[in-house]
Amino acid sequence: MIDTYFITGATGTLGKRIVVQLLEHTESNLILLLHKQGRGTNSDKLLRDLFGINNSSYVNRVKLVQGDITQPRLGLETELYKDISACITHIIHSAASTRFDLSLEKARLINVEGTKNTLGLFEHLKSPTHFAFLSTAYVAGKNTGTIMEQPLSSAAGFVNTYEQSKYEAEQCVQKSEGVTSIYRLSTIIGDSTTGAVDHFTAPHQALRIMHIGLAAMVPGTPDYVVDLIPSDYASRAIINLLIKPLTFGNTYHITAGADRSFTLQELLEQSFKSLTRFDPEWARKGYPSPPIVSQQTFDLFLSSAEDAGNILVHNVLGAMKHFAHQLTFPKEFDRTNIDAALPSYHIDLPHISTYYPDVVKYCVSTKFGRT
Amino acid sequence: MTKQETKKTLVFIQKLVNKRSPAIITPNTLLFEDGHLDSMNILDVVGYIEEKIQRKLTDEELVMKNFQSVSTIERTFFQT
């Protein structure tokens, strides 16, 4: 029997890469859940535009369905839900809101209810083989020290609603009776070969704040390890975990680790150096590199920014409160499970210094995704 | 601002929104208040306007009420 993968979030940074790699490296059929309000139903055009898929044999293996993970039965018609339940064997749930500034209610609707509804489909399958959940390493929230690849405590609390809602979603997955895996991803920074960024997240926002000269200071400690991973590498690790039957049923940290990462001090220095190199106009403005300060000092700075009438200062610095505080909770991610499942994982992972300049160059040349 | 220019602004905002959600934006949709754009998107919107009008916005213009919706942006920055 040929495996059939049902994929949510297929149009996201990792979703797109997972789709292409499953088509290239397996014979599986794919059913992609696209949002009802999304891009229409012309599958040939969508596959070409979104995934760069022109190969007709690939196109024939992909079916598109339109739904909504926040709705019961994923917003699918009863008959369709029944039909696909009979053929799906694997589910990859990667759809999520990655915004840090949503209310807890909204974040829970997408990340927790969306996961429950997708698990509902898994429990309804005729031949359920594997449910893979794409999570974040920052479900660890405000915990510090070594974070293990296992269920975590929420007692320390969370920096933002994204962390909390993904933590709660993980709990739903852990309670499921089927075979499930949780892939906890570090922050994705860009492609290690081109520097291209699909989705601009916290580190890009921080770089952008530095670029417009508003990064007066950064909270944390100079030796904080900023764990960032390249998108191409993350998707390859996920695919390798997915297609290796022995690796089912576990939690994995897809992270970089201290020996492949910058410290906060190094990241600021390299950001400054790369901005100077790739944007001479920026260099001429002579912005100073931001100092690293305590959380208390940073909070004072943010509260004064919140009083500002100028919305650039108010909004942009206000956005920092949703992610910058994570820099004051140093942690390292244990990799026992992933090292056992993918022994070459760490050897193949490039040090961030080899591709970070390309990421900065991409950010500057696209005006941080605006062009 | 002509209808075509309003459409261009709508398309620009729609692209920003679609990076994160499938919501459909109309001229009167509350962009920030209803959460369609996040705080950082103000940089994209200000950059877009500055390119269109070919000057930097002043501190007086950089207030939230001028960026509530596409209609507000149009009235504030593009109508002569």
Side-chain angles (χ1 to χ4, degrees), chain A residues 2-307:
Chain A
I2 292 177
D3 291 337
T4 298
Y5 284 81
F6 179 82
I7 306 173
T8 70
T11 59
T13 301
L14 288 177
K16 279 193 271 196
R17 290 171 180 271
I18 289 169
V19 166
V20 172
Q21 290 188 31
L22 277 175
L23 289 171
E24 287 175 351
H25 300 301
T26 74
E27 294 180 347
S28 309
N29 293 317
L30 311 184
I31 299 176
L32 313 183
L33 181 74
L34 303 180
H35 200 282
K36 273 181 178 169
Q37 292 179 25
R39 297 169 167 90
T41 52
N42 182 338
S43 56
D44 285 0
K45 184 176 184 306
L46 274 169
L47 291 171
R48 194 175 58 242
D49 293 351
L50 284 175
F51 307 105
I53 295 172
N54 287 310
N55 184 326
S56 61
S57 67
Y58 287 176
V59 172
N60 294 337
R61 287 163 51 198
V62 182
K63 177 184 172 73
L64 305 177
V65 295
Q66 290 195 298
D68 181 348
I69 59 164
T70 67
Q71 301 296 314
R73 290 196 325 272
L74 302 171
L76 300 170
E77 297 294 334
T78 312
E79 276 305 304
L80 177 60
Y81 193 79
K82 199 173 148 190
D83 287 350
I84 63 173
S85 300
C87 62
I88 295 167
T89 52
H90 298 64
I91 292 181
I92 304 170
H93 179 41
S94 80
S97 169
T98 56
R99 281 179 65 163
F100 295 163
D101 62 345
L102 288 183
S103 67
L104 186 56
E105 186 188 5
K106 280 187 181 170
R108 276 178 171 155
L109 175 65
I110 301 166
N111 292 344
V112 183
E113 291 306 310
T115 300
K116 282 182 188 172
N117 292 329
T118 312
L119 279 167
L121 172 64
F122 186 60
E123 284 154 16
H124 203 73
L125 298 183
K126 195 175 167 192
S127 311
T129 304
H130 186 207
F131 182 97
F133 176 60
L134 268 59
S135 187
T136 168
Y138 293 94
V139 290
K142 294 181 179 176
N143 284 300
T144 56
T146 303
I147 308 299
M148 304 305 290
E149 293 169 300
Q150 60 190 36
L152 301 169
S153 163
S154 62
F158 301 94
V159 167
N160 54 52
T161 57
Y162 171 65
E163 293 177 358
Q164 181 168 349
S165 59
K166 291 295 277 188
Y167 173 88
E168 292 174 4
E170 269 200 12
Q171 288 194 308
C172 299
V173 176
Q174 283 153 1
K175 282 178 195 159
S176 171
E177 288 180 5
V179 178
T180 60
S181 295
I182 294 173
Y183 304 146
R184 287 188 190 144
L185 292 141
S186 183
T187 306
I188 293 170
I189 187 73
D191 187 290
S192 68
T193 55
T194 64
V197 178
D198 288 327
H199 187 49
F200 290 80
T201 58
H204 312 100
Q205 291 182 350
L207 184 71
R208 194 173 189 184
I209 292 169
M210 200 169 169
H211 187 246
I212 59 171
L214 284 179
M217 58 187 76
V218 175
T221 53
D223 57 354
Y224 178 97
V225 175
V226 186
D227 201 294
L228 303 167
I229 49 168
S231 47
D232 47 323
Y233 200 77
S235 58
R236 272 205 307 277
I238 290 169
I239 291 294
N240 284 326
L241 287 169
L242 278 169
I243 60 180
K244 283 193 170 188
L246 289 175
T247 64
F248 287 0
N250 234 325
T251 297
Y252 302 92
H253 281 160
I254 302 178
T255 53
D259 60 342
R260 300 288 195 277
S261 300
F262 286 144
T263 63
L264 181 56
Q265 182 69 50
E266 288 168 340
L267 182 65
L268 289 174
E269 286 167 3
Q270 292 304 316
S271 298
F272 199 83
K273 199 171 156 187
S274 295
L275 286 173
T276 302
R277 180 174 161 202
F278 298 119
D279 189 352
E281 197 182 320
W282 181 85
R284 279 194 289 276
K285 290 176 182 166
Y287 293 131
S289 184
I292 298 168
V293 300
S294 69
Q295 184 173 342
Q296 290 78 6
T297 306
F298 186 71
D299 285 343
L300 274 174
F301 168 64
L302 282 189
S303 63
S304 62
E306 282 176 351
D307 293 336

Side-chain angles (χ1 to χ4, degrees), chain B residues 7-41:
Chain B
K7 196 178 168 190
K8 277 184 189 170
T9 305
L10 266 175
V11 168
F12 173 76
I13 300 285
Q14 188 71 59
K15 278 184 184 170
L16 285 181
V17 170
N18 285 159
K19 285 180 182 173
R20 291 169 181 266
S21 106
I24 304 295
I25 300 302
T26 69
N28 293 318
T29 302
L30 295 175
L31 302 174
F32 292 93
E33 202 174 316
D34 287 351
H36 296 294
L37 296 181
D38 69 18
S39 309
M40 290 293 288
N41 285 133

